[in-house]
Amino acid sequence: MMRISYLGLILLPLTGLLAIALELNIPDPYHIEGIINGEKAINHFPSYAPKIDTLCPAPEFSANGTAANIANSTSQNEYIRPAYTGLNHDEAGYIANRASLCSTRKSLSAFARAANLSTEQTQAILGDERLRPNTAVAFSGGGYRAMLNGAAMFRAMDARDPWPDNSNQGGLSGLLQGMNYMVGLSGGNWLVGASALNNFMTVAELRDERWELEKGLITGMKGDPIDHAGSFLRFMDEIKEQVEQKEDAGFDTTLTDFWSLALGRQLVNRTAGGPEVLWSGITEMDAFKNNSMPFPISIADARRPGENIVERNSTIFESTPYEFGSWDSAMPMFFPMEILGTNMSAGKPIGGNHSCVRGFDVGAFIMGTSSSIFSGILAKLGQRVKVTDCNDPPGDLSKDVQVALFDLMNDTFFGNEDIANYPNPFRDYTLPQNITHPYNNAAKNENSLYLADGGLDNQNIPFWPLLQSPRHIDFILSVDSSADTPQHWPNGSSLITTQKRTKTLYEIAKNNTLKQEWVVPFPYVPDSGEKWISQGLNHRPVFFGCNGRNYTDYIKSGNLKSTQNQTQNFNKPGPLILYLPNVPWSYYTNSSTFQLDYIPDEVTGFLDNGARQALQSPVLPTSLTGNASTIIPPESLQWRTCIGCALFQRSKERAGIEIGETCKACFEKYCWGGGYSEDGAGYNQYGNKPGAGNGTETPNSNVRDGVYDPVRKDGSGLSYEAQHKVIQAKREEMGVGSHIDDIFES
């Protein structure tokens, strides 16, 4: 017996199409018969196969994890960097250069002036390397919904984008240029990765030059693929031929490779998916060379076949332009991104100096790994189809089509369809024994690392790389586009889960089985989605960790022993987090995670809604509407001042600068009470008043009959149903939509 391929249901009509064409003597414009007969697709795409047996770069680390003399041979040195050595020196240099070349200093200075913050204070802070705020933006997962909602925030923060030009009317304009890091997960990483891989493109450029969102993400066409069988068949055959190139080069492939190349056709290169555009190649982009791009990081989770992961047992991997690896105690080590895929043993290439692999780190594959849950759609389609007997008569063209197109997809894909296969660079590697540590290499004896969607452990906002102490992040702007509720709105679950993870690590450290480097600070947050909704925290911006003391037990732990026998102050607070949940201002942006095509009206709806979110205003400025009578509410103009207060708060704490009355008022409005307890009843320096998140405010007006069901903030009164009806009519008029989201929503 043979399981029908993941798109078997769609492919079945193709045999009838071919039969009719042959009967009527109609030409075969899509070469269907050739594909059925096993002929290779003819294309001139760049190869998806990594290059093998290339010259290895000089190793940067000696056997004890310290920097090596580049003249030393690989027989004496290694390519593995233990995480306890701190921050990668190239990354550290990049962040330092962003400040020294005035990229961040200039942008933050302009933002502070526009926010009406004290010029004298902010200039003193920005001029002092010890005080200068280290900032980041994190975009959650959630498919195209997350990409588009994140894009709206990205655009509103980007000083390069003339729309909306809100430099004198509040909002976030210019803040992106002041960010040192941008981190994405799953759909959020489609935004981060697409911009970075395209030389830090603006959202307007991505929309106009890359996105073709009215085409289905996994079908490559507009409308139902059954209605365009020939084009769809060619689309899938081209991808199949690319994946086979990688397999022919000796690499294991999975459905994530198919998924990644389909994704790349939407985000990197419309024709071939960009197999030549590498994650390590970001370092060669002009925007990276001149330090104008925030440092990009992609997130994925380790998941062995058949394993279920949660926040407590997940190992989180990050991919930067320089390195691939993890900070987690199960595998705390990093490997050069440019030679990812090399066959390694004990930190050295098995075949010597001329055996390194290059080109494994295809940018689309890195993004596809971070969002590999979508490759499961391909398998689930196949599971909806009956099983075909391998002994069917030779004339059974339906079976022949399936075998010809999907012979790479054997039974092992099903049940583990969301896994990406990476050759294990940490195989046989043991951390140096002269360091006292409880760490281990959980994949020491494995040939492959199996990675999956970064949101599978329910940490759907990629905070984890930004909480690591070597990065010293002071401020994180987090954009939450999660679908935590049945209506696809967020309810704080990601922050709750990350808080649980940090508490678990603290308990381990307290029992002396884990050292301080792996305990990370995270502010107290309400400990259930119900509390978030009842307090209205998922319907407005919230600051967490305004007070450096408002952190989990990490802050109260005192000094713990370092693995390097150094006594370090363990009382350094973590970042202040600005939480921006997806909410409807002028458009209902709660589309399904599995909606894989969007018409221009939907894209515009997301971007307009995000502009209002950035302004915290139900109306848009004159520069956007052309309406000279537009009046931005005073509280919206004050919003940017409050963002500035949050951004500079850790710097003020380090400098011993008083918070000031203006920022105190901001914190009273936006800070969650928190304290040393999860219910918001604990210590709060800023004297929260009712309605400021301390659990005493009136019931959330968006909860009706026990269900969170928000209404638009622009006062239009338009219901979700009415908007959906209008959009659906336009989609049908354009011939868009196969409604895969309806099939897989459960």
Side-chain angles (χ1 to χ4, degrees):
M1 300 291 289
M2 178 189 72
R3 188 195 301 267
I4 285 183
S5 61
Y6 63 80
L7 288 173
L9 177 61
I10 295 175
L11 293 175
L12 289 176
L14 296 178
T15 59
L17 176 69
L18 179 60
I20 294 172
L22 295 176
E23 180 72 20
L24 299 178
N25 197 29
I26 297 175
D28 179 13
Y30 299 108
H31 194 53
I32 297 174
E33 185 174 16
I35 295 172
I36 292 174
N37 292 330
E39 297 178 15
K40 298 290 186 182
I42 299 175
N43 63 61
H44 303 285
F45 299 157
S47 177
Y48 183 58
K51 295 180 176 64
I52 60 176
D53 297 332
T54 71
L55 179 64
C56 299
E60 298 187 16
F61 302 98
S62 62
N64 65 359
T66 59
N69 186 326
I70 60 173
N72 292 341
S73 68
T74 55
S75 62
Q76 297 174 325
N77 296 288
E78 304 164 346
Y79 289 89
I80 308 297
R81 183 181 70 83
Y84 61 70
T85 60
L87 197 62
N88 173 277
H89 64 85
D90 287 321
E91 177 184 336
Y94 185 86
I95 299 303
N97 285 338
R98 275 183 61 74
S100 63
L101 297 176
C102 298
S103 297
T104 54
R105 289 170 59 186
K106 181 179 179 180
S107 298
L108 292 179
S109 177
F111 187 86
R113 287 195 303 271
N116 297 315
L117 297 179
S118 168
T119 302
E120 182 178 351
Q121 284 185 359
T122 56
Q123 292 308 309
I125 288 171
L126 293 172
D128 189 331
E129 183 179 354
R130 299 167 303 167
L131 302 179
R132 192 178 303 134
N134 194 6
T135 56
V137 58
F139 297 98
S140 81
Y144 270 156
R145 179 190 63 250
M147 185 188 81
L148 290 172
N149 186 53
M153 293 298 102
F154 191 102
R155 188 182 199 187
M157 291 189 291
D158 193 347
R160 301 170 300 167
D161 201 320
W163 184 96
D165 179 12
N166 53 28
S167 58
N168 295 311
Q169 302 194 58
L172 308 179
S173 184
L175 193 54
L176 182 65
Q177 280 64 36
M179 294 292 183
N180 280 332
Y181 291 90
M182 56 180 182
V183 188
L185 179 157
S186 197
N189 196 42
W190 302 350
L191 169 66
V192 170
S195 178
L197 292 165
N198 288 289
N199 196 29
F200 195 33
M201 270 190 172
T202 67
V203 168
E205 290 169 334
L206 287 171
R207 180 197 60 198
D208 297 339
E209 300 176 28
R210 292 294 183 269
W211 296 347
E212 291 183 299
L213 304 191
E214 68 275 10
K215 292 183 177 181
L217 187 50
I218 65 170
T219 64
M221 66 180 56
K222 186 167 64 175
D224 195 323
I226 293 178
D227 298 331
H228 309 278
S231 296
F232 173 61
L233 181 59
R234 175 58 62 196
F235 175 79
M236 292 308 302
D237 187 55
E238 288 175 349
I239 292 179
K240 170 181 174 288
E241 296 301 329
Q242 290 180 284
V243 174
E244 283 185 329
Q245 294 170 347
K246 182 176 179 180
E247 188 168 78
D248 290 344
F251 295 88
D252 291 333
T253 59
T254 71
L255 284 177
T256 299
D257 290 278
F258 284 79
W259 155 244
S260 299
L261 288 167
L263 181 67
R265 282 163 164 77
Q266 277 285 10
L267 303 179
V268 184
N269 179 291
R270 291 178 177 179
T271 303
E276 79 285 8
V277 181
L278 306 180
W279 199 256
S280 59
I282 292 173
T283 61
E284 299 302 316
M285 304 287 179
D286 289 341
F288 195 90
K289 288 181 177 179
N290 64 27
N291 300 99
S292 62
M293 177 195 307
F295 192 79
I297 304 177
S298 172
I299 298 300
D301 287 340
R303 187 176 86 81
R304 292 183 178 87
E307 180 183 31
N308 292 322
I309 58 174
V310 294
E311 83 283 347
R312 294 171 184 250
N313 73 343
S314 64
T315 299
I316 299 173
F317 278 83
E318 63 179 50
S319 294
T320 79
Y322 293 122
E323 286 187 315
F324 166 84
S326 174
W327 297 95
D328 292 342
S329 61
M331 215 175 304
M333 53 197 83
F334 292 88
F335 185 76
M337 179 61 71
E338 66 174 319
I339 56 171
L340 186 63
T342 300
N343 193 9
M344 302 288 294
S345 178
K348 301 169 186 175
I350 288 178
N353 288 343
H354 288 79
S355 64
C356 279
V357 167
R358 296 177 188 270
F360 182 89
D361 61 314
V362 173
F365 184 62
I366 299 296
M367 292 190 292
T369 300
S370 182
S371 58
S372 66
I373 190 173
F374 289 88
S375 62
I377 292 178
L378 306 180
K380 289 182 185 298
L381 277 168
Q383 291 170 345
R384 294 172 57 85
V385 187
K386 65 180 182 179
V387 173
T388 298
D389 194 321
C390 285
N391 296 320
D392 284 346
D396 183 348
L397 292 179
S398 65
K399 183 188 71 176
D400 292 340
V401 170
Q402 296 149 18
V403 173
L405 270 178
F406 305 110
D407 55 3
L408 288 178
M409 301 175 192
N410 55 53
D411 286 342
T412 61
F413 291 117
F414 292 88
N416 296 302
E417 63 271 2
D418 63 332
I419 287 177
N421 191 307
Y422 283 59
N424 182 10
F426 310 118
R427 186 177 57 175
D428 302 325
Y429 182 78
T430 301
L431 286 161
Q433 294 303 305
N434 60 328
I435 301 294
T436 302
H437 59 78
Y439 322 129
N440 62 77
N441 183 351
K444 182 176 181 179
N445 301 318
E446 298 181 6
N447 292 328
S448 297
L449 292 178
Y450 301 100
L451 302 187
D453 194 292
L456 288 180
D457 61 356
N458 296 318
Q459 297 183 87
N460 202 38
I461 304 175
F463 288 119
W464 202 248
L466 302 174
L467 300 177
Q468 306 307 315
S469 59
R471 288 197 168 111
H472 303 296
I473 303 297
D474 293 311
F475 172 82
I476 302 173
L477 191 156
S478 61
V479 181
D480 191 1
S481 308
S482 304
D484 299 326
T485 72
Q487 293 77 29
H488 311 143
W489 299 108
N491 68 0
S493 290
S494 181
L495 289 89
I496 296 169
T497 305
T498 300
Q499 178 180 249
K500 288 180 181 178
R501 182 181 174 95
T502 59
K503 286 186 173 183
T504 298
L505 290 180
Y506 168 72
E507 290 300 322
I508 296 173
K510 192 168 64 173
N511 293 329
N512 262 335
T513 59
L514 190 65
K515 302 303 180 183
Q516 99 176 40
E517 281 83 353
W518 314 117
V519 181
V520 299
F522 196 75
Y524 277 116
V525 300
D527 62 355
S528 73
E530 291 77 11
K531 290 180 181 179
W532 282 73
I533 291 175
S534 68
Q535 297 182 29
L537 303 179
N538 68 328
H539 199 64
R540 60 183 179 86
V542 189
F543 298 166
F544 292 103
C546 294
N547 188 317
R549 295 177 60 189
N550 185 17
Y551 270 72
T552 53
D553 288 337
Y554 172 93
I555 292 298
K556 298 187 294 183
S557 62
N559 293 324
L560 295 183
K561 185 179 180 182
S562 166
T563 58
Q564 296 168 300
N565 296 319
Q566 300 171 346
T567 300
Q568 299 181 12
N569 189 345
F570 210 66
N571 291 326
K572 180 185 180 300
L576 189 154
I577 294 174
L578 164 54
Y579 176 71
L580 279 177
N582 180 26
V583 297
W585 281 85
S586 60
Y587 190 83
Y588 290 100
T589 49
N590 58 324
S591 51
S592 166
T593 301
F594 297 106
Q595 180 178 331
L596 301 183
D597 48 30
Y598 283 74
I599 62 173
D601 283 44
E602 292 175 287
V603 174
T604 300
F606 268 84
L607 296 180
D608 284 356
N609 189 75
R612 290 171 169 83
Q613 168 86 313
L615 289 166
Q616 288 294 295
S617 169
V619 296
L620 294 175
T622 300
S623 58
L624 182 59
T625 64
N627 184 353
S629 63
T630 299
I631 300 176
I632 301 296
E635 58 269 23
S636 299
L637 298 177
Q638 183 69 12
W639 163 237
R640 180 158 53 182
T641 298
C642 292
I643 296 174
C645 290
L647 193 151
F648 285 97
Q649 175 61 10
R650 289 291 178 268
S651 299
K652 287 184 177 181
E653 290 175 351
R654 288 197 292 273
I657 298 174
E658 292 292 329
I659 184 174
E661 291 302 315
T662 297
C663 288
K664 183 177 180 181
C666 286
F667 285 1
E668 287 179 345
K669 180 174 183 178
Y670 291 107
C671 290
W672 184 67
Y676 291 150
S677 61
E678 295 88 336
D679 60 8
Y683 175 86
N684 176 23
Q685 173 179 334
Y686 305 112
N688 276 11
K689 57 188 178 181
N694 60 359
T696 61
E697 67 272 11
T698 57
N700 189 341
S701 61
N702 293 290
V703 177
R704 287 172 284 278
D705 298 325
V707 176
Y708 176 68
D709 185 22
V711 296
R712 284 173 32 167
K713 292 189 174 188
D714 61 1
S716 67
L718 187 68
S719 68
Y720 170 82
E721 290 75 15
Q723 173 184 295
H724 181 74
K725 184 177 180 180
V726 171
I727 291 296
Q728 191 58 34
K730 291 183 178 180
R731 287 173 64 89
E732 292 175 0
E733 181 180 343
M734 293 183 63
V736 172
S738 55
H739 304 289
I740 290 177
D741 56 311
D742 295 332
I743 297 175
F744 296 105
E745 184 55 42
S746 60

